[in-house]
Amino acid sequence: RYGQGWPVIRKAILERDHYRCQLRGERCTSRATTVDHVVPVRHGGTNDPSNLLAACSWCNTSKGAEPEGAGEILACLVPTY
């Protein structure tokens, strides 16, 4: 879905963020098992590490692929590691 290099990129992001969810939604499980595109690929986002965050499954699914608020997320994000 995201290209041949995605497994390597995904692992690097999870390790960078210490497998901790960076989105911290209302039902966050804290343990990140997925990688979220802050600006979704379908809205012009890339696989650049600056556009990727470790996320728990609940937060990633809840966020969906809507670009609204993506700038605010980047502006106020403070990694938890």
Side-chain angles (χ1 to χ4, degrees), residues 1 4-5 14 17 25 29 34-35 40 43 51 62-63 68 75 81:
R1 177 178 176 182
Q4 284 185 311
L14 289 170
D17 293 345
T29 63
T34 67
V35 173
H43 293 290
N51 188 46
S62 297
K63 179 181 172 261
E68 295 95 29
Y81 51 89

Side-chain angles (χ1 to χ4, degrees), residues 6-25:
W6 181 247
V8 173
I9 294 168
R10 181 184 174 279
K11 183 178 182 201
I13 297 304
L14 289 170
E15 289 177 352
R16 179 197 72 191
D17 293 345
H18 302 279
Y19 290 85
R20 291 187 188 131
C21 182
Q22 302 299 304
L23 296 176
R24 302 295 185 147

Side-chain angles (χ1 to χ4, degrees), residues 9 12-13 16-17 36 38 46-53 74:
I9 294 168
I13 297 304
R16 179 197 72 191
D17 293 345
D36 177 62
V38 177
T46 69
N47 288 339
D48 186 84
S50 66
N51 188 46
L52 300 172
L53 301 172
L74 281 176

